[in-house]
Each structure stands twice: as structure tokens, then as C-alpha cells.
Amino acid sequence: MQESRLFKIIYYLLDKGHATAPELAAKFEVSVRTIYRDIDALSGAGVPVYAETGRNGGIYLMNDFVLDRAVLSEREKQEILTALQSLSATQYIHNGETLDKLSALFNISSGNWLEVDFSRWGDQQDDNRKFEVLKSAVMHCKCVKITYAGAYEAVSERIIQPLKLIYKARAWYLKAYCTKKQDYRIFKLTRILDCTILDESFIPHVFPEQESPSRQEEVLIMLRFPKEMAYRIYDEFDKSQVERQENGDFIVSAQMPEDGWLIGFLLSFGPQVEILSPAHLRDVVAEQARLIYEKNKP
């Protein structure tokens, strides 16, 4: 336990720069006296840790201190290399020198067993370019001018402050502050038709993590699919939401927001989906299907 705590103290000091003994004692749930004993043990082991007194005093590591590779376990080394290799495989890390250096340092071969590509089929170059532009803008706090295809309006140009790239439900999104709407927005990368980094910088801030208002509008839907739709069902739903019937059909039960997106989603299955409940959703989808037929009938 003490050995694990000693390493955690080193990690904490490397991350924070310095800390007080009471701060470390509270962090690791031990007494201040124990922390001082730990500091003595680290110093005795050759770790350049020292304490300064006074108003701005605390416990510090020498600025040029670097952890020896033996500190990391074999599993941790492999996880680091795997993470770097997965990023490199996306072509969003163009320089393999970092991966090569760490492989040599850890004395582990990174291999070439993993390939990850988040771009769409046939459009890799443009998707990767957008990703690189937005990644750079996020990291350097630069405003971006985008051309965006919104859900309920025509294509528009916006100036945004990009805050974070996220990957969710098999798609990339950008969390940003939109100067046009004067509010925070989440943009889907495939709907960003063009993007350009501007000279204007912004002060980095945190995207508000608020619960989606649509959560209160979610309803339990039950759907029936024939066995031929298994490939699509497991693309869209978690296996815990799927129940296989004796005749091979699938019954899906899922909480979903009842909005325009849901109607389009259900229509995307064509005649292969039967809405079991709620009953009023059957009527809405049937009416939309009728309108589609009327608009496209011979």
C-alpha cells in the first residue's frame, strides 16, 4: 500500500507542480505525519523531492525530474502504446516518431494489429482535413468559420469557438460556442461542409454539461423486426434492448425521444419495422409514410 501511495504522490506532484502536506494527507486519506514519512522515503530512494517553508511553501519535485520507465507496469506500457497506435491509425497523428521512441523506451514492439478510420467511405480526405482543422483550433483556442447544414434551416455560415471534439454513437461531434446563436451548441462534423481557422483567439472555457432537455420527453417504444434485420438491429440498439422470439423475430424495447428524428429513424427501416407501442406513434409514422407515397407516386 505504501509503495502504491509513493508513486501516486509522485504522479500528483508531476501533475500539480507542488502541494502542501495537509493537501496530500487529505488526498490519500492519511495523516500529515505519514505524508512527511513518505517524503523522507522518496528522498531516500533518490527522488529529488523537497519542501519549502513560508506562505507559498509546499512540497516540490525538481523541475527536470523524469519518471524512470520501470515505474510503469508492463500492462500500463502496452496500454499507452495501444492508445497511441489507435490514434496513429486514424491518420490524425502523422508523425510516428513518438510511438517509435516510446516503443524503444519500454522495450515493447507496438506491432501493427490495429486500424481505425472514423472517416466516411469514399470521403476520407475531406473528413480528415476537417478533423485536423478543428483539432488545431480547439488546442490553440482559435475561432473557426464554418458552413453548417442545420436540421431545420438552410445552410448557414457561423463563427464558433470550438471547445471539444467528442465521438459518440459512431459519429464525431464538436462542442462549441456559437456567436450567431449566442449560446453553446453541438455540431455534427459530417454536417460541417467547410471550416476555416480565423486569426481571432478566445479565452478557453468549459462547455456546460447539462442534462439534455429531451430526456424528459423520452418514451418507451416497442418494435418488431423480422430475423432478416438482425444486422441493422445490432447496429442501432444495444443487445440488452433486444429479445429474440421463437419464430426468429426480434422485439426491441428502448427509451427514445419522441421527436422528428425518431419518425425519420423509424421510416428508415421501411416496411421491415412494426411499431407495437405506443399506439399513437403508429399513426404518426403511417401518416408520414402516406405523405411520402403521395409525393412520389407514379
Side-chain angles (χ1 to χ4, degrees):
M1 176 64 72
Q2 181 190 17
E3 182 180 355
S4 175
R5 187 174 65 248
L6 294 179
F7 286 138
K8 289 178 181 178
I9 290 174
I10 296 175
Y11 300 147
Y12 190 81
L13 293 175
L14 284 170
D15 181 48
K16 301 296 183 182
H18 76 282
T20 64
E23 178 184 348
L24 292 173
K27 170 71 176 177
F28 299 110
E29 299 180 343
V30 295
S31 68
V32 172
R33 183 185 297 272
T34 298
I35 290 297
Y36 280 123
R37 284 201 298 264
D38 289 344
I39 298 304
D40 288 340
L42 288 171
S43 180
V47 177
V49 59
Y50 64 96
E52 287 187 355
T53 59
R55 182 177 180 181
N56 296 319
I59 299 170
Y60 294 80
L61 282 169
M62 295 291 288
N63 290 334
D64 59 352
F65 174 72
V66 178
L67 276 175
D68 184 81
R69 66 182 183 184
V71 170
L72 296 172
S73 68
E74 293 301 313
R75 180 182 58 81
E76 290 168 333
K77 294 174 186 177
Q78 190 63 62
E79 287 178 352
I80 291 172
L81 291 176
T82 299
L84 284 175
Q85 187 177 8
S86 66
L87 288 174
S88 180
T90 67
Q91 299 182 13
Y92 300 142
I93 292 180
H94 299 290
N95 192 339
E97 291 183 4
T98 302
L99 185 60
D100 293 339
K101 287 179 180 178
L102 283 177
S103 296
L105 177 65
F106 295 160
N107 195 26
I108 294 177
S109 174
S110 62
N112 189 26
W113 61 275
L114 181 65
E115 181 177 350
V116 182
D117 189 349
F118 294 125
S119 61
R120 292 169 289 181
W121 289 104
D123 200 23
Q124 180 176 356
Q125 184 174 359
D126 187 57
D127 281 349
N128 288 350
R129 183 194 68 82
K130 284 191 297 185
F131 188 97
E132 286 293 334
V133 168
L134 295 171
K135 180 188 72 173
S136 178
V138 171
M139 295 179 65
H140 296 95
C141 299
K142 290 289 187 179
C143 293
V144 177
K145 180 180 179 180
I146 64 171
T147 304
Y148 191 71
Y152 300 106
E153 59 183 71
V155 173
S156 62
E157 290 189 345
R158 310 185 186 199
I159 305 297
I160 62 171
Q161 299 174 358
L163 303 175
K164 181 184 291 187
L165 284 159
I166 62 171
Y167 185 74
K168 185 175 180 63
R170 302 186 299 280
W172 280 103
Y173 297 87
L174 176 70
K175 291 184 175 182
Y177 181 82
C178 178
T179 59
K180 178 181 179 180
K181 299 295 185 180
Q182 293 290 295
D183 201 0
Y184 294 93
R185 291 289 189 270
I186 297 179
F187 300 96
K188 192 171 185 178
L189 259 63
T190 52
R191 294 183 184 176
I192 297 178
L193 307 182
D194 195 17
C195 57
T196 305
I197 295 182
L198 305 178
D199 292 332
E200 181 184 354
S201 300
F202 63 91
I203 299 174
H205 46 101
V206 178
F207 190 94
E209 300 296 339
Q210 299 176 347
E211 185 178 14
S212 172
S214 64
R215 186 167 293 276
Q216 283 84 34
E217 303 169 10
E218 287 185 350
V219 295
L220 176 64
I221 65 169
M222 295 187 65
L223 311 170
R224 183 191 300 273
F225 296 93
K227 59 185 179 181
E228 293 79 13
M229 293 296 290
Y231 74 98
R232 177 79 187 277
I233 293 169
Y234 290 112
D235 272 349
E236 305 290 353
F237 301 100
D238 184 81
K239 64 180 182 180
S240 64
Q241 300 171 314
V242 180
E243 181 181 346
R244 188 74 180 263
Q245 305 297 295
E246 290 185 3
N247 65 351
D249 286 356
F250 295 92
I251 302 295
V252 173
S253 302
Q255 292 280 350
M256 305 187 75
E258 188 173 354
D259 54 16
W261 175 87
L262 177 60
I263 305 305
F265 175 70
L266 294 175
L267 286 170
S268 72
F269 291 98
Q272 300 296 333
V273 60
E274 177 186 357
I275 302 172
L276 302 179
S277 67
H280 70 270
L281 190 58
R282 296 171 62 100
D283 298 333
V284 174
V285 172
E287 175 62 16
Q288 287 297 310
R290 185 189 68 79
L291 293 174
I292 293 173
Y293 170 76
E294 291 294 332
K295 192 170 185 177
N296 294 279
K297 67 180 180 181

